[in-house]
């Protein structure tokens, strides 16, 4: 049987470089907020968005270390710590028969061989006492994780299914680990495995899990009674603990890391960057909403007057375009984002194209009305009645120009408030580019399918 080809190392490196470029761009956009000598408004905004800027910086630094973080989740007594101990080959994390042995997230380094660097993160049970505070810790761990292991020890309960659905919405690759298989006969294991394949998708419409997405293990097998016959003919019964059955999980993880590990790193960094930019955007909106609205209306009036009073048609269009460019740059300055004239021009072009025919229609109307207005202006010298026609055309053209300015301003406001996350190197854009390039046989392909079902704006685990 032909083995699926892994994502090429060159493509994975490309994904990392795109992620670095996207985060660097985001930091350059917001970096001027931290420069000395800024206005009081910018200084206030810089204080509000300091946590998000620090997150962008630390996320960018994380890419340079090529460190994969794997977090394990599940309900109490499912053997989460035991699974990690089995992977590590030694009992580092505490385990025991009582619920709630793991009281807080704990991370340990794992060196599975080669150049791969992995950090394993153990978490408290998702259904333990004081669940709300621990749920908050779980959200933080999910945000940092590049890959999630969800541990069960039999058929999925209703609570586990709800937790699994929430984890799926966190937009992270996930492996379902069926632990304690030593406690089940083969027929029961097969039945449970088939059920987990269907339910593990975390969505009734989801496709069954593939072999890479569900693994059976016995991380800490129960002791077995064995019969021992001695040389003198006596017989004794002793208890022995079988070795962990963990090789399949280890091989699955290593295959995923080798096949798409750097792409996982890039994708998680971009998701964190996108979330940070959304938070910055919301804080910016709250702080500068009224200023932005006043600025848009100010330019709307200026453009309407300039276009309406100008009798030369081509200068109408030129003046209107200059006004739109000035509005875009003024809004950028208001939001504390640097934008050159060249960038503003490209930005305005993007707005024109994304607005369908609305703003392009304004240009056509300006040209036709401008020609009509010029004709009326020339004719008014011979017939004063044409002054009325000139005024009517000028008012109509001014109204269209003013509406166009307002539309440009609102579109620019939305774009800038989002931190340009949908620009050429915006986090959301690069996320889509990476997912469009993944192969159907990868775990990232499952994530691509789930992103088509869940909204980017879902915040259940952020």
């Amino acid at each position: 049987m032909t083995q699926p080809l892994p994502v090429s190392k060159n493509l994975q490196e490309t994904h990392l470089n795109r992620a670095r470029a996207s985060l660097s761009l985001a930091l350059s956009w917001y970096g001027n907020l931290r420069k000395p000598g800024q206005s009081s408004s910018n200084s206030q905004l810089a204080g509000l968005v300091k946590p998000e800027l620090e997150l962008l910086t630390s996320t960018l630094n994380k890419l340079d270390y090529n460190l994969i973080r794997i977090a394990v989740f599940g309900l109490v007594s499912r053997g989460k710590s035991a699974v990690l101990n089995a992977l590590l080959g030694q009992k580092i994390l505490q385990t025991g028969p009582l619920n709630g042995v793991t009281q807080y997230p704990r991370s340990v380094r794992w060196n599975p061989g080669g150049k791969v660097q992995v950090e394993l993160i153990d978490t408290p049970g998702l259904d333990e006492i004081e669940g709300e505070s621990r749920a908050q810790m779980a959200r933080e761990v999910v945000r940092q994780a590049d890959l999630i292991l969800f541990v069960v020890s039999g058929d999925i309960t209703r609570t586990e299914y709800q937790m699994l659905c929430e984890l799926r919405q966190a937009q992270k690759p996930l492996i379902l680990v069926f632990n304690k298989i030593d406690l089940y006969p083969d027929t029961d294991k097969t039945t449970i495995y088939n059920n987990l394949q269907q339910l593990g998708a975390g969505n009734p419409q989801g496709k069954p899990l593939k072999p890479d997405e569900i693994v059976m293990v016995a991380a800490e097998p129960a002791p077995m009674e064995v019969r021992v016959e001695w040389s003198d003919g006596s017989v004794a019964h002793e208890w022995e603990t079988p070795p962990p059955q963990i090789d399949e999980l280890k091989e699955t993880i290593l295959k995923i890391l080798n096949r798409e590990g750097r792409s996982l790193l890039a994708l998680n960094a971009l998701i964190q960057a996108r979330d940070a930019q959304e938070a910055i955007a919301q804080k910016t909106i709250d702080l500068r909403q009224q200023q932005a609205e006043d600025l848009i209306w100010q330019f709307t009036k200026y453009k309407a007057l300039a276009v309406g009073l100008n009798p030369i048609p081509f200068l109408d269009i030129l003046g209107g375009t200059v006004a739109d460019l000035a509005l875009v740059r003024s809004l950028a300055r208001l939001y504390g984002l640097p934008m050159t004239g060249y960038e503003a021009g490209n930005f305005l072009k993007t707005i024109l194209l994304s607005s369908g025919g609305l703003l392009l229609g304004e240009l056509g109307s300006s040209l036709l009305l401008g020609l009509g207005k010029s004709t009326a202006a020339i004719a008014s010298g011979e017939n004063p009645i044409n002054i009325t026609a000139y005024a009517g055309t000028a008012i109509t053209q001014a109204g269209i120009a003013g509406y166009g300015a307002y539309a440009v301003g609102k579109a620019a406001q939305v774009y800038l408030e989002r931190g340009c996350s949908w620009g050429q190197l915006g986090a959301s854009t690069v996320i889509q580019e990476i997912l469009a390039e993944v192969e159907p046989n990868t775990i990232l392909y499952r994530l691509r399918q789930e992103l088509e079902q869940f909204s980017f704006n879902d915040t259940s685990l952020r």
Side-chain angles (χ1 to χ4, degrees):
M1 181 178 178
T2 303
Q3 293 295 321
L5 293 175
V7 178
S8 71
K9 292 185 178 180
N10 288 338
L11 183 56
Q12 290 193 62
E13 193 64 35
T14 299
H15 291 167
L16 266 184
N17 289 336
R18 287 182 193 169
R20 289 191 185 101
S22 179
L23 268 68
S24 297
L25 178 64
L27 284 169
S28 69
W29 274 78
Y30 298 111
N32 68 316
L33 293 175
R34 296 179 290 185
K35 294 180 180 178
Q38 292 294 311
S39 65
S40 58
S41 178
N42 273 2
S43 298
Q44 182 182 3
L45 181 59
L48 290 174
V49 303
K50 182 179 179 181
E52 288 76 22
L53 293 177
E54 291 177 347
L55 175 60
L56 287 173
T57 301
S58 63
T59 303
L60 180 59
N61 292 336
K62 178 179 177 289
L63 291 177
D64 296 330
Y65 291 103
N66 290 331
L67 177 66
I68 301 286
R69 288 194 173 103
I70 301 177
V72 58
F73 289 93
L75 304 189
V76 296
S77 300
R78 297 307 191 261
K80 301 182 299 296
S81 300
V83 168
L84 297 185
N85 283 336
L87 286 173
L88 292 166
Q90 51 185 320
K91 193 170 182 178
I92 295 179
L93 300 170
Q94 184 181 4
T95 62
L98 300 178
N99 291 349
V101 171
T102 302
Q103 299 294 316
Y104 52 87
R106 181 179 177 186
S107 62
V108 292
R109 287 296 181 94
W110 178 40
N111 184 14
K115 299 180 180 179
V116 179
Q117 298 186 69
V118 180
E119 183 177 81
L120 301 175
I121 305 176
D122 194 14
T123 63
L126 294 174
D127 58 337
E128 293 184 53
I129 301 173
E130 301 178 2
E132 183 53 38
S133 61
R134 291 182 180 177
Q136 183 60 40
M137 286 192 293
R139 293 187 186 97
E140 177 62 23
V141 173
V142 167
R143 183 183 64 78
Q144 298 179 26
D146 302 297
L147 178 65
I148 293 173
L149 305 181
F150 190 79
V151 179
V152 298
S153 57
D155 281 320
I156 291 182
T157 66
R158 182 181 298 274
T159 301
E160 283 175 318
Y161 184 73
Q162 292 173 347
M163 300 292 184
L164 184 60
C165 290
E166 292 182 4
L167 287 172
R168 286 291 188 193
Q169 293 181 49
Q171 302 170 9
K172 298 295 177 72
L174 184 147
I175 298 175
L176 190 62
V177 181
F178 176 13
N179 189 25
K180 304 185 181 181
I181 59 171
D182 56 303
L183 303 180
Y184 298 91
D186 290 341
T187 54
D188 291 346
K189 280 192 295 187
T190 301
T191 301
I192 294 174
Y193 182 88
N194 292 335
N195 290 338
L196 293 177
Q197 274 193 306
Q198 298 296 327
L199 295 175
N203 183 355
Q205 288 76 40
K207 296 182 179 180
L209 298 184
K210 296 180 180 180
D212 277 359
E213 299 176 285
I214 178 170
V215 181
M216 295 195 295
V217 303
E220 200 172 47
M224 299 176 59
E225 187 178 17
V226 296
R227 184 172 183 272
V228 181
E229 295 185 4
W230 300 102
S231 58
D232 61 2
S234 62
V235 176
H237 291 83
E238 299 179 356
W239 290 90
E240 291 185 0
T241 301
Q245 300 176 40
I246 200 71
D247 289 345
E248 183 182 352
L249 177 59
K250 182 177 180 180
E251 291 172 3
T252 298
I253 292 174
L254 291 179
K255 183 168 67 173
I256 290 172
L257 297 185
N258 179 63
R259 185 179 63 197
E260 50 196 309
R262 293 184 180 182
S263 296
L264 285 174
L265 268 176
L267 191 64
N268 186 45
L270 289 165
I271 290 174
Q272 292 189 62
R274 183 197 63 200
D275 293 348
Q277 287 178 273
E278 287 178 355
I280 291 173
Q282 188 57 55
K283 292 179 180 180
T284 306
I285 291 171
D286 295 341
L287 183 64
R288 298 182 175 173
Q289 178 63 38
Q290 189 56 51
Q291 291 175 275
E293 192 70 21
D294 293 343
L295 186 63
I296 291 172
W297 276 113
Q298 181 182 359
F299 273 85
T300 296
K301 291 184 289 186
Y302 288 163
K303 181 180 177 181
L305 287 173
V307 171
L309 296 176
N310 183 28
I312 304 175
F314 293 105
L315 290 182
D316 288 349
I317 297 175
L318 179 61
T321 302
V322 170
D324 289 340
L325 289 171
L327 171 57
V328 168
R329 294 191 67 181
S330 297
L331 282 171
R333 285 194 297 270
L334 175 64
Y335 286 110
L337 305 175
M339 181 175 287
T340 65
Y342 176 76
E343 290 169 336
N346 288 335
F347 180 32
L348 183 60
K349 187 188 302 182
T350 300
I351 293 176
L352 290 173
L353 294 176
S354 65
S355 300
L358 177 63
L359 298 179
L360 294 176
E362 181 210 338
L363 296 179
S365 300
S366 294
L367 180 59
L368 293 176
L369 291 173
L371 291 172
K373 186 175 63 176
S374 298
T375 302
I378 294 172
S380 65
E382 301 174 358
N383 185 0
I385 296 177
N386 286 315
I387 296 177
T388 303
Y390 172 86
T393 303
I395 291 173
T396 302
Q397 190 181 16
I400 293 174
Y403 181 77
Y406 186 78
V408 167
K410 297 305 289 185
Q413 184 183 15
V414 170
Y415 186 89
L416 293 170
E417 284 170 351
R418 290 177 179 174
C420 302
S421 66
W422 286 103
Q424 183 178 3
L425 283 173
S428 298
T429 301
V430 181
I431 287 173
Q432 287 195 342
E433 290 174 353
I434 290 177
L435 292 177
E437 294 171 344
V438 301
E439 297 293 333
N441 54 15
T442 62
I443 199 169
L444 280 176
Y445 190 76
R446 160 78 65 176
L447 183 60
R448 171 182 168 181
Q449 293 175 310
E450 291 169 358
L451 286 173
E452 294 173 354
Q453 299 171 6
F454 298 113
S455 168
F456 276 142
N457 294 323
D458 183 86
T459 56
S460 59
L461 276 172
R462 294 180 195 168

